[in-house]
Amino acid sequence: MVSKTSICYGHFDGIQFPVIPKAPRSLRTNVSEKSSEGSAFELLADVADRLLQESEGSISSVGHEPKEQNSNTVVKCEEPEVKVKHVDKGSFAESESMPECISLKLNLNSPPKDLPESDNDSGLEHVCNVKTLDLLGKVGSNVNLVAVEKESGELTIRDSCLDTCVPSKSFSSSVDTPSNGDPASCLQDTRDMFDNRGTKLRAITSKSRDKYRRIRKMLTRYRKVTSTKDYELSNPTSGRVKPLYQNRKHIYKRERCQVDAASKRRKVVHQSSKNAYIQGACNESIVKNSNGDKTHTRAAPNEVKFSINSFKVPELYFEIPEIATIGSLKRTVMNALKDKLRGELHVGILLKGRKVRDNNRTLQEMGISHNCDLGTMGFTLETSLLEASPSAIQQEQPLSSASPITDVGYSSSSLYHDLDTYLDNYVDKNQESIPKKTEVLTQEKVADSKALVPVTAVTTKALSDIVVNYNPKKKCEVSQRRIRRPFSKSEVEALVEAVEFLGPGRWREVKNRAFDDADHRTCVDLKDKWKTLTHTASIPPQQRRGELVPQHLLDRVQAAHEYWSNYQIKHDLKRQCEPLRILM
DNA sequence: GTTAGGG
DNA sequence: CCCTAAC
């Protein structure tokens, strides 16, 4: 909100502060483009569903996973089609024998122009929305959770993550590796775990949500990383869990790379990281065969091959007692995933960091050809889950968030933002939908960082070992560059007025005075804007670019700049003279 | 946490 | 708008 007070300071005349509309929150915090982040979870959730169902009827198969299965399952969903291939990842490093797994491969065989159209630009989604069950019906249901430690706060689905097990007998491994080594007891443990009414579910409250927002906002500026534990969803059958990125930096870089590959200021981007997202381009695409080897397949001319190795899913945060078994932990994660998100899978297409919304454009038109570099392409998984919770979204719809829920193209930043939004909504709306046995932490607790509050009387340390971090800090860490929001004339005017009154350098006060309600304008933003304003004011109008700032405002900028510069000089002189006067 | 300044 | 050093 802009102050409406008139001022009279120095040689500046009284200025009526303009009233600017309540500014939308930053994309990082509250810009509410709905839809989106549920899909990966949804997929997993339904997988989990079936997993659980099967578990009820196949206890006897525990511990009898097939070790070798090489059949391929192909799931087609019109165009683009999603192919599911079995991939043998070798032998699992731990004492588990893993059946065959399946990897997801997206194969775009025809241009999107053939896709059905819709008013809301969601033609692609109609074909891309792989209903989880559709997929599962063909893929099978076995998904396993494998904890993988790495430095990044992300829960990722990579390679094996999207792998699902061949339909059939091998449910067993989903409850594999109990702490005592006995699969049967593990299963029992798991059930005990989920039957244990004593384990509290702490629903996230709206109150905590607010707190979380504040914290999140605060943390957006601090993207430092801490080592965390991530959980990789992998096929129980996949032999060796493909190593995740060893440190957070890689993840971070990869994220940034995926979202804004075209940005020159993305200084360090590991090519390998890039490839982790999309492998293969040109006429040759790298496809993993059933032996885990990479084979190069020849694509038909004018055919673009995509091989999606991984999708990122939102982070989870929960606690379980240290007495819980590994198997129950896995189940807990799976259930958390399951309950977390519902809805259809939407696929977003990113091209050079920008989401591609127009489903009617051809790949060719978009510059996607068989001989181009697909390294700047990315895919995102989204859901329409957020539609269910309009109330928490309604507020502060920014000018820039006009994209419909059904957008197919979607930037990762939006995705992550939506995760935030979703979680906010989730806090309010879905208190009942979380598995009762899982301690889903409130945002407040999340904010407590690593200091986890034990659900039961167990040590924090032990808990910290099994907590999947759902740390907003890390979400921010992967959050992308904020969307550009040019200052409006009224904002510029408010800034000028405030600086005229307060002087440059007191940006916190400027912020409080003129942009208190504009959460997306930080003191640094104001400082930066002032910098550009003074620069703009100092150059001839012909050299000015972008949205033109009214000359009268620039005049005021210049005047204020000069005034405060002189003021500074005078003060400095005064200060220099001060000791002299004392001495005299 | 805020500010300044380079990128 | 980002990043970071300095305070």
Side-chain angles (χ1 to χ4, degrees), chain A residues 37 41 153-155 204 212 216 228-230 313-318 340 416-424 426-427 440-443 445-450 452 467-475:
Chain A
E37 65 276 14
F41 273 123
E154 302 157 15
L155 177 65
I204 304 172
Y212 169 54
R216 189 176 54 196
T228 65
K229 254 185 189 173
D230 281 7
V313 298
E315 294 171 88
L316 286 177
Y317 191 81
F318 57 85
K340 202 85 177 150
Y416 279 102
H417 165 71
D418 283 351
L419 294 183
D420 292 355
T421 308
Y422 166 69
L423 287 166
D424 289 342
Y426 185 74
V427 165
V440 178
L441 294 186
T442 66
Q443 315 291 18
K445 293 168 79 178
V446 170
D448 289 339
S449 71
K450 316 294 180 287
L452 303 166
V467 164
V468 178
N469 269 297
Y470 172 46
N471 193 332
K473 188 174 186 175
K474 274 170 233 113
K475 220 169 16 172

Side-chain angles (χ1 to χ4, degrees), chain A residues 481-541:
Chain A
R481 185 190 181 107
R482 289 188 296 163
I483 56 171
R484 187 171 173 272
R485 287 180 167 181
F487 276 67
S488 65
K489 286 191 181 75
S490 57
E491 282 182 302
V492 171
E493 199 169 347
L495 175 61
V496 170
E497 198 278 343
V499 177
E500 282 172 343
F501 184 70
L502 295 165
R506 298 164 70 180
W507 302 113
R508 169 51 57 190
E509 292 166 75
V510 169
K511 155 84 178 164
N512 290 339
R513 177 189 175 91
F515 294 86
D516 200 27
D517 284 354
D519 288 358
H520 62 298
R521 301 295 187 203
T522 67
C523 338
V524 176
D525 293 334
L526 302 178
K527 182 262 300 177
D528 287 343
K529 182 57 182 175
W530 184 257
K531 187 170 62 175
T532 57
L533 281 174
T534 53
H535 177 254
T536 305
S538 70
I539 59 175

Side-chain angles (χ1 to χ4, degrees), chain A residues 270-302:
Chain A
H270 285 195
Q271 189 62 31
S272 58
S273 300
K274 215 186 277 187
N275 292 341
Y277 260 73
I278 299 186
Q279 269 187 358
C282 310
N283 285 330
E284 273 190 318
S285 64
I286 301 169
V287 178
K288 292 191 184 108
N289 63 18
S290 60
N291 292 323
D293 301 328
K294 288 175 181 175
T295 58
H296 296 261
T297 56
R298 203 79 189 165
N302 304 323

